[in-house]
């Protein structure tokens, strides 16, 4: 291996190679983005298929109909009487109903505090024990009292109750069925699933008095609309962009579309003519949701625990009634009930662009990796460059890297300590914004943000001044190169790691940070001013502001969302913004503005 | 419906209602069916078949009622006492109360086997155990032969011999369990074959795979023990028991149409008091008391009695309050027992027994016996997530307001669950009501210390034997105790995984043996060798599903190749540098990229020349 | 910084700084140490602190900890830890013990560095030796290396082995062969593999033995050293036997390293290989792997005879890659010794590449492990691939260091070649 590298290393001597990296990394970015836009084409995306044979979706006849509708109406009356009641009253009313069905019920209290608000409530859940089973496995049916848009789940809750009553009559269940009724769609399910896996903080979330076996899957009903519906909207994004097993989505698509003749929509694409633009839009929406990493429904908090879950939401004007919705869920439960092993066959990393087309990780990952790679390439290039004596990079005197240096080791020897120190300092500084924005109460967020933005613009010049006025020998171009090299290396490293956890977030951050690759200290004032302006415009704060205004909200609410998600669901997008992107930006800023100091001194010497 | 006449008489029968059986060697073959309606429209049917044979006959191989096939196995494997269980489902103690036979005739999910073998050394015992399991697996069509060394344990205090054994014989207790075994019809058939009437006559005719395995909970048990009544010859007693809890509603469905289609709207029992009640809106009244007959539940009435059976023992008993009226077919003698909660029915060998429990008039408050509360509720579950490590948490609740419960908690875990005993702790759930914190903590601490009294622990050895853990502990009255410990999931060789590796591995139920009060202390004083006397009550928790980390089964070759390549690269690189000598770049023969580049240049030059010409 | 004089104040500052850092993390983030203890990168089946606690618990309750599949560590650790107050009640003492061990290792390292052995051994002295870091810097690099800190907080028992090895080397360079051999036998007793370091250590102590009572013949010296090690090991085993009352600790402690019966994942190359290995070839490949591991000793000792310390360093690097149960603790030991060769750094060619590779692996490893074990969305190949990368990066570093050292030697023979391009043929 060393010999291979050695022969490759010969190239390093060639000065032309050193001109290459910027273009190379530019190429990487361009290819990476272009790649993304190729994906919706038929050649690159695949038709979905079911790889877990045990699921057998749509193979069973569903009997949920007839007089069960009478029961549904009755339950609906009960639920309607509870609208605008307090959480405790609701549970007091629902619990006896569930008990009458013959289920074991229990309750759980939770209280979260985030961004100065308190999110508290009481979960009600009931376990339908598998008739011949032994509490080893379970499936969850979630019906949140309110969906993410805070509409009361007026049809979902009665439907869930009726379904459980219907399920009780069957003797074929091989897994327990858990009905979970939560006051809201984010905190409640999170608290419950945390406590179910004993990953909860007892001071905020009560432990569960009643438990069953391993959770094999979960389906959430979000059925607030009163009129008859046309098709079902499948919401599948989990916290931090984790996704449920593709087989689950496929089986539901199969059951709803194939068996019941109900359309299926994804990512709020209500109308989808399987064309390029619609596919692309679906994919991009999916990526954006994934990148933000927020909880998109009651199912989201299950997915991090390797419990595959989706939310089903009827929409549109049609002739399908609650019973049809019930049959869809019945069919899905029968499929999950068939499972012998935990869902593991199909894909966990995919981008859906239509209900029956997807791209798997192998196809799309390169685009994010290329974007991440451009930073690494630049970092290596800068490293090599910093190894060369500053005087002349002319090809004739073979510019040596220290590996086989002719000069006495002190000159071309890299002085690593200052650059390392600077990068480490900036990285450690990044804790401050993270802490501030995650712990400030909502009221303070706006002023805090703007003060931080101002400080943020002042920070790079201040740091570069500090560097130039160091007691030690003035920081050389090499050291600036090294600073940038290290920060880019870190950025590339974090992003490529992130790409495996949350592809979209990595890609978005990478694209936003990509200009940092090319910014360098410029000699001419015009270029420097331009660079400075560009630098300011791509600063995280500016981008946040722009994004907030584009989506018509204010920064405070964005930050609040982030803080809430961070405290309740453990969304790590804020960490990425403040501890990955921001330090890289600051470091680049230092480098870009840093050149100035040296030149000034040079001028002073001449005059 | 054919005309039935209510039949009343007050005849004293020397019969104790179920649960307690006189272990006297009375007449040779008994059989009896006990029916007990339970809350939530469930029905407990427990069949009991019992026959004895004297040792002398047994030794001579002269079997009358005792099944020959089993007898020969016992003789061959030197088994003194044998207990075999096939169980399915879970007993819902919250709703159904205490277990039949005080839990003495049931096992955890799957197959459970324990036996006392005549053996001086462990090796001999293992040898005989192997023989026994293999023979039984053949006899019962169950994969009992999979009870190998890793699944066999030797409990110290949990199990006590039920029979009377001579003091001098040295016996060894071996215990094996197969939680993953699915009990089904192929186990029932051989079970019935062991009966004198082979299930052709008597109450055994009711036993039908479809009904039995549609039950919410069922347990088949075989117990063989020697009994030496004073002054008589010792007999070997075999007792076969089948307990099942049937869902009346479900069992009443006709065999040809088992699908629970929704009832027609008008037949739906509704709560008419609701203001919104109308023809298309109906708040359901579930579990309405409904009538049932034997043939509805079991598909057929009892076809006479087994002629070999002791006729003084009533074949069928029903446990409902005497106030409730029961219809039976003609020439069936009903005898109410003075205890007021049970009645028995006598029939002649030829007649059919049909029995009907009419729907009680809604006024009647006590239409069924209120189930007695068990001594202890136990619930076991996993804590934590991920496939690296986890914990086991058992919640033990003592319902009685004044009496404390002392019991032995036994776990047999597979070796790939590496439990950390030092993390095991038992704590009483503290009531939030209690006042000042510090005081409470201190009190709860010293309570917690006194919870666990003795621990018998045999750690697992990789691929050799499983963990065996027996904890003798007590639960104070009216309190709940959490018993928790951590474990680590080890990753196996890829050949050691079952085909459905991602399903996980079943972990056997924990066996809880409650010591009858009074004897507990004695045992405690007696120390490690404590032979705590017969258990007052047994219960078993549900089994668990433990998911292990799995390797990729599809690529052994790739892994071998990649790893070898990595090693080769390092090895080659290091020894390359070691053995070669240095020269300056311009010395010695050309090598590496430079050569290629040079050749290429030469080629191009040549080509260019060629073009010029 | 180059060889600057260090005041006692700075020394105290360094040590207190390191100690305070560890204590602060342990006390301010009480959850972190347990998290680290659970990480497979830090604690392996043969060094895990949790397993040690279990063994201790069984030992204190008179159950033989070796009659079980959990505890695979040396018996003498048991009385040592049962002397300490129990970890559950007073964790502070355990932390203090581990911190003390770390500081002792650092001081041993310091002595090694100040001896200048790295630059100029008895038979060879590098022309670049003037350019070296002081013991202060090297100790600081060791003490503040994240891997070292993590291993200390994870309370992996490999820190004891680390200390024993460093102490042995320090004794050897300070011309105390007996002490060196004693320390080495302790190291081997704790975790077997240091026995492979015997030949170079013998040579090192032979070169550095005091002139007044020096043994001239290498053979005799080697024989004496080997006998010493054997003797001390025998005594230790005897003590363990008396302690546990049976010899079953031998298969359970060293057998598990030889047969790899516990396949818990780690950063090494063995675990996945032997998970996927066919049963019929298992024993064969075990033999091959061990043979391969020991094959380096001879080659290096002969070729770099003139600088035994280099051999030790390289061997430690190789062991950190190819051990049956490696952890980042072993890597930390290797990284502790590398800075001694500050003078040949300019001759190294792939510092940046290998550093980047190791960094990437450090970052991706936990992520992939999470995907496999917790998220369930990745499978075992993810983590396996990263261990491959990690080990390739380390082996690249080892090769590079070896190249630099050899080239350094070569430039002594041919001074005119300094700074010229060189090839190997």
């Amino acid at each position: 291996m060393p010999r291979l590298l050695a022969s490759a290393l010969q190239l390093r001597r060639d000065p032309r190679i050193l001109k290459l990296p910027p273009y190379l990394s530019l190429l990487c970015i361009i290819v990476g983005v272009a790649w993304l836009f190729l994906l919706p084409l038929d050649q690159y995306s695949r038709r979905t298929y079911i790889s877990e044979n045990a699921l057998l979706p749509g193979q069973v006849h569903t009997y949920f109909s007839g007089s069960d509708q009478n029961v549904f109406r009755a339950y609906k009356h009960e639920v309607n009487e509870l609208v605008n009641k307090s959480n405790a009253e609701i549970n007091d009313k629902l619990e006896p109903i569930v008990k009458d069905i013959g289920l074991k019920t229990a309750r759980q209290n939770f209280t979260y505090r985030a961004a100065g608000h308190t999110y508290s409530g009481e979960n009600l859940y009931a376990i339908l024990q598998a008739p011949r089973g032994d509490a080893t496995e379970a499936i969850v049916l979630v019906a949140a009292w309110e969906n993410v848009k805070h509409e009361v789940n007026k049809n979902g809750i009665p439907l869930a109750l009726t379904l459980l009553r219907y399920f009780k009559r069957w003797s074929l269940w091989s897994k327990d069925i858990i009905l979970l009724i939560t006051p809201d769609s984010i905190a409640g399910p999170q608290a419950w699933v945390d406590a179910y896996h004993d990953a909860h903080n007892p001071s905020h979330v009560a432990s569960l008095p009643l438990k069953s076996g391993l959770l094999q899957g979960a389906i959430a009903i979000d059925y607030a609309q009163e009129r008859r519906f046309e098709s079902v909207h499948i919401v599948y994004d989990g916290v931090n962009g984790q996704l449920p097993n593709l087989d689950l989505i496929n089986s539901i698509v199969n059951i709803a579309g194939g068996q019941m003749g109900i359309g299926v929509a994804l990512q709020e694409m209500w109308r989808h003519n399987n064309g390029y633009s619609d596919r692309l839009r679906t994919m991009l929406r999916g990526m954006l949701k994934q990148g933000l990493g927020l909880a998109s429904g009651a199912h989201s908090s299950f997915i991090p625990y390797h419990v595959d879950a989706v939310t089903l939401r009827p929409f549109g004007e049609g002739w399908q009634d609650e019973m049809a919705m019930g049959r869809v869920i019945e069919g899905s439960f029968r499929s999950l009930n068939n499972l012998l092993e935990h869902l593991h066959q199909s894909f966990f990393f995919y981008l859906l662009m239509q209900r029956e087309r997807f791209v798997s990780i192998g196809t799309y990952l390169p685009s994010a990796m290329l974007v991440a790679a451009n930073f690494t390439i630049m970092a290596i290039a800068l490293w090599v460059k910093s190894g060369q004596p500053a005087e002349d990079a002319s090809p004739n005197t073979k510019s040596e890297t220290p590996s086989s240096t002719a000069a006495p080791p002190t000159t071309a020897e890299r002085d690593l300590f200052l650059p390392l120190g600077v990068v480490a300092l900036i990285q450690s500084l990044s804790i401050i914004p993270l802490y501030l924005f995650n712990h400030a109460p909502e009221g303070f967020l706006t002023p805090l943000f703007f003060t931080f933005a101002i400080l943020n613009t002042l920070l790079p010049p201040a740091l570069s001044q500090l560097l130039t006025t160091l007691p030690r020998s003035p920081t050389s171009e090499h050291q600036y190169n090294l600073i940038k090299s290290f920060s880019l290396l870190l950025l590339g490293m974090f992003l490529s790691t992130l790409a495996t956890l949350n592809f979209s977030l990595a890609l978005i951050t990478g694209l936003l940070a990509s200009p940092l690759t090319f910014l360098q200290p410029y000699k001419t004032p015009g270029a420097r001013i331009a660079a400075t302006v560009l630098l300011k415009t791509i600063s995280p704060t500016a981008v946040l502001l722009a994004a907030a205004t584009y989506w018509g909200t204010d920064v405070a609410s964005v930050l609040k969302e982030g803080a809430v998600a961070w405290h309740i669901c453990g969304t790590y997008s804020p960490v990425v913004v403040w501890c990955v992107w921001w330090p890289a930006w600051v470091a680049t800023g230092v480098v870009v503005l840093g050149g100035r100091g040296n030149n000034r001194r040079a001028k002073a010497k001449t005059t | 419906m054919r005309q039935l006449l209510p039949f009343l008489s007050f005849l004293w029968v020397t019969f104790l209602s179920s649960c307690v059986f006189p272990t006297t060697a009375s007449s040779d073959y008994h059989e009896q069916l006990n029916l007990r309606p339970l809350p939530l429209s469930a029905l407990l049917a427990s069949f009991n078949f019992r026959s004895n044979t004297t040792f002398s006959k047994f030794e001579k191989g002269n079997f009358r009622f005792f099944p020959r096939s089993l007898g020969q196995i016992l003789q061959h494997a030197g088994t003194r006492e044998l207990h075999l269980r096939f169980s399915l489902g879970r007993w819902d103690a919250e709703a159904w109360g205490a277990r039949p036979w005080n839990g003495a005739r049931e096992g955890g999910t799957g197959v459970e086997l324990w036996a006392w073998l005549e053996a001086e050394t462990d090796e001999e015992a293992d040898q005989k155990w192997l023989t026994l399991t293999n023979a039984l697996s053949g006899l019962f069509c169950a994969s009992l032969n999979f009870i190998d060394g890793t699944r066999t344990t030797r409990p110290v205090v949990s199990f006590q011999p039920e029979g009377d054994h001579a003091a001098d014989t040295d016996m060894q207790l071996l215990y094996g369990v197969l939680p993953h075994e699915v009990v089904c019809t192929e186990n029932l058939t051989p079970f019935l074959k062991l009966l004198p009437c082979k299930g052709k006559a008597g109450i055994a005719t009711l036993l039908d795979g479809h009904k039995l395995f549609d039950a919410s909970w069922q347990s088949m048990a075989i117990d063989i023990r020697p009994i030496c009544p004073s002054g008589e010859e010792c007999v070997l007693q075999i007792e076969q028991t089948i307990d099942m809890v049937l869902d009346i509603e479900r069992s009443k469905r006709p065999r040809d149409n088992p699908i629970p289609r929704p009832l027609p709207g008008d037949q739906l029992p509704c709560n008419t008091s609701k203001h919104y009640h109308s023809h298309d809106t109906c708040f359901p009244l579930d579990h309405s008391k409904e009538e049932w007959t034997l043939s509805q539940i079991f598909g057929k009435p009892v076809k006479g009695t087994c002629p070999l059976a002791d006729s003084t023992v009533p074949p069928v008993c029903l446990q409902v309050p005497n106030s409730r009226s029961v219809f039976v077919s003609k020439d069936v003698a009903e005898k109410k027992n003075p205890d007021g909660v049970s009645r028995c029915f006598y029939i002649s060998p030829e007649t059919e027994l049909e029995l009907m429990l009419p729907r009680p008039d809604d006024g009647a408050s006590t239409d069924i016996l209120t189930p007695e509360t068990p001594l202890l509720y136990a619930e076991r579950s996993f804590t934590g997530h991920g496939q690296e490590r986890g914990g086991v948490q058992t919640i033990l609740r003592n319902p009685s307001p004044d009496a404390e419960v002392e019991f032995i908690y036994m776990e047999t875990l597979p070796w790939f669950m590496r439990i950390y005993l030092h993390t095991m702790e038992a704590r009483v759930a503290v009531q939030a009501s209690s006042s000042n914190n510090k005081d409470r903590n201190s009190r709860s601490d010293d309570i917690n210390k006194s919870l666990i009294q003795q621990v018998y622990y045999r750690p697992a050895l990789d691929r050799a034997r499983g963990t065996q853990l027996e904890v003798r502990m007590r639960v104070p009255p009216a309190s709940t105790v959490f018993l928790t410990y951590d474990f680590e999931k080890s990753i196996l060789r890829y050949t050691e995984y079952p085909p459905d590796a991602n399903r996980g591995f079943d972990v056997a139920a924990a066996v809880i043996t409650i010591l009858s009060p009074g004897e507990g202390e004695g045992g405690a004083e007696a120390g490690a060798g404590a032979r705590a006397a017969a258990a007052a009550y047994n219960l078993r928790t549900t089994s668990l599903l433990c998911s292990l980390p799995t390797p990729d089964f599809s690529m052994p070759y790739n892994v071998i190749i990649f790893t070898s390549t990595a090693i080769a690269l390092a090895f080659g690189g290091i020894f390359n540098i070691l053995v070669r000598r240095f020269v300056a770049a311009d010395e010695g023969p050309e090598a590496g990229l430079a050569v290629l580049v040079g050749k290429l240049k030469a080629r191009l030059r040549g080509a260019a020349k060629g073009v010029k010409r | 910084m180059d060889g600057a004089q260090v005041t006692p104040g700075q020394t105290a500052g360094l040590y207190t700084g390191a100690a305070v850092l560890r204590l602060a993390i342990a006390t301010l983030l009480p959850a972190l140490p347990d998290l680290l203890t659970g990480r497979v990168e830090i604690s392996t089946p043969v060094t895990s602190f949790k397993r040690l606690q279990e063994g201790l618990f069984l030992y204190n309750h008179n159950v033989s900890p070796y009659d079980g599949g959990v505890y695979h560590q040396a018996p003498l650790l048991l009385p040592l830890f049962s002397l300490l107050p129990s970890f559950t009640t007073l964790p502070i003492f355990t932390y203090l013990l581990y911190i003390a061990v770390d500081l002792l290792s650092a001081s041993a390292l310091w002595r090694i560095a100040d001896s200048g052995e790295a630059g100029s051994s008895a038979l060879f002295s590098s022309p670049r030796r003037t350019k070296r870091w002081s013991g202060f810097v090297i100790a600081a690099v060791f003490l503040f290396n994240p891997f070292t800190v993590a291993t200390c907080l994870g309370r992996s028992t490999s820190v004891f082995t680390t200390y024993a090895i460093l102490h042995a080397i320090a004794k050897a360079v300070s011309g105390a062969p007996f002490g060196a051999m004693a320390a080495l036998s302790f190291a081997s007793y704790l975790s077997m593999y240091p026995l492979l370091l015997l030949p170079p250590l013998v040579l090192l102590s032979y070169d550095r033995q005091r002139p007044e009572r020096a043994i001239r013949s290498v053979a005799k010296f080697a024989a004496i050293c080997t006998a010493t090690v054997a003797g001390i090991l025998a005594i230790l085993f005897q003590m363990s036997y008396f302690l546990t009352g049976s010899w079953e600790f031998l298969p359970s402690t060293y057998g598990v390293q030889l047969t790899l019966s516990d396949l818990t994942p780690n950063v090494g190359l063995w675990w996945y290989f032997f998970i996927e290995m066919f049963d019929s070839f298992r024993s064969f490949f075990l033999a091959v792997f061990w043979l391969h591991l020991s094959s380096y000793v001879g080659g290096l000792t002969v070729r770099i005879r003139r600088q035994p310390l280099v051999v030790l360093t390289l061997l430690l690097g190789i062991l950190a890659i190819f051990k049956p149960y490696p952890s980042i603790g072993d890597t930390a030991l290797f990284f502790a010794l590398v800075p001694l060769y500050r003078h040949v750094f300019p001759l190294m060619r792939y510092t940046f590449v290998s550093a980047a590779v190791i960094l990437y692996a450090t970052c991706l490893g936990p992520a992939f492990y999470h995907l496999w074990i917790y998220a369930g969305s990745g499978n075992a190949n993810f983590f396996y691939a990263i261990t491959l990368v990690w080990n390739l990066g380390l082996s690249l570093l080892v090769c590079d260091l070896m190249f630099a050292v050899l080239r350094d030697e070569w430039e002594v023979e041919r001074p005119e070649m300094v700074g010229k391009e060189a090839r190997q043929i």
Side-chain angles (χ1 to χ4, degrees), chain B residues 377-390:
Chain B
Y377 294 103
E379 190 176 330
R380 185 178 66 161
S381 64
F382 276 138
T383 63
H385 76 292
Q387 294 170 332
E388 191 174 14
R389 59 180 61 82

Side-chain angles (χ1 to χ4, degrees), chain A residues 541-583:
Chain A
T541 48
V543 172
L544 264 181
L545 200 54
T549 41
Y550 174 77
W551 272 289
T553 61
D554 58 339
V555 178
S557 58
V558 173
L559 290 169
K560 180 199 158 206
E561 275 301 314
V564 171
W566 160 266
H567 282 291
I568 295 180
C569 315
T571 305
Y572 52 65
S573 312
V575 185
V576 175
V577 171
W578 297 121
C579 301
V580 175
W581 180 18
W582 185 75

